[in-house]
Amino acid sequence: QVQLRESGGGLVQAGGSLRLSCAASGTIFSRNGMGWYRQAPGKQRELVARITIAGSTGYADSVKGRFTISRDNAKNTVYLQMNSLKPEDTAVYYCNNPYTSPPWPWGQGTQVTVSS
């Protein structure tokens, strides 16, 4: 069974940066696209960044130009570099495979809090 473990969240001031990591096990990581999602209190979970097997990336308009998704297949890990953070980026961040349905079992997520 696929297991996802997110890390790297924390409290940061507006304008700051964080780098999130997600380690995957139980799957052939290099053969799967990956994505980062977030869920703010009272809101639905949304996909904010995705990366294909070939390394092509896509971003939600709200994070385009500020967030960068990358992957290291040797480490079975996907990253999300978040720069110029805004208070509205505050959420629990999760990784998963956006190209499969249903999604893999969700991890515990990592909390990102941006103070103004």
Side-chain angles (χ1 to χ4, degrees):
Q1 179 165 333
V2 177
Q3 291 188 325
L4 301 169
R5 183 179 296 273
E6 302 90 350
S7 62
L11 173 63
V12 63
Q13 289 188 331
S17 298
L18 283 174
R19 188 194 194 205
L20 307 184
S21 299
C22 168
S25 61
T27 183
I28 302 175
F29 182 79
S30 61
R31 297 184 183 177
N32 288 278
M34 291 296 294
W36 281 97
Y37 299 74
R38 68 185 181 187
Q39 187 167 20
K43 295 188 177 182
Q44 287 190 332
R45 189 173 295 170
E46 62 171 339
L47 178 65
V48 297
R50 63 173 69 196
I51 185 166
T52 68
I53 297 171
S56 297
T57 58
Y59 301 93
D61 287 344
S62 57
V63 307
K64 199 172 295 183
R66 299 187 298 120
F67 289 11
T68 303
I69 188 172
S70 61
R71 63 189 299 158
D72 185 336
N73 290 337
K75 295 182 179 180
N76 287 0
T77 300
V78 61
Y79 303 99
L80 187 67
Q81 178 66 43
M82 306 187 295
N83 299 329
S84 302
L85 283 162
K86 305 176 180 180
E88 51 264 44
D89 295 319
T90 295
V92 179
Y93 284 72
Y94 304 86
C95 65
N96 211 307
N97 183 345
Y99 302 98
T100 187
S101 181
W104 293 339
W106 295 94
Q108 82 286 352
T110 187
Q111 175 71 49
V112 172
T113 303
V114 184
S115 63
S116 57

